[in-house]
Amino acid sequence: MALSPDLAVLMVGVAARQAASPTALAQARLPRIHASDPFTPTHGAFNVAVWEMVEFSGDWRKA
């Protein structure tokens, strides 16, 4: 199913405004987290239970 051109343009506009938001610009200036950081979770996810639910709840990417 293809999206209508108007909806696609709207989505691109929303994404552009979000990328230019003060929050996004501030987060872009934050340093990258390295695996050697003692506060980095070993599993790589902030919330393991939510990650497992999303990752293993079927093929959600095709929905």
Side-chain angles (χ1 to χ4, degrees), residues 27-52:
Q27 287 178 343
R29 288 191 295 268
L30 292 174
R32 296 284 181 215
I33 297 174
H34 299 286
S36 62
D37 187 347
F39 296 109
T40 302
T42 56
H43 44 72
F46 180 73
N47 188 323
V48 178
V50 173
W51 174 79
E52 287 174 346

Side-chain angles (χ1 to χ4, degrees), residues 1-24:
M1 179 176 114
L3 296 177
S4 71
D6 292 339
L7 180 58
V9 169
L10 177 67
M11 293 175 68
V12 168
V14 169
R17 284 191 299 276
Q18 286 178 340
S21 72
T23 303

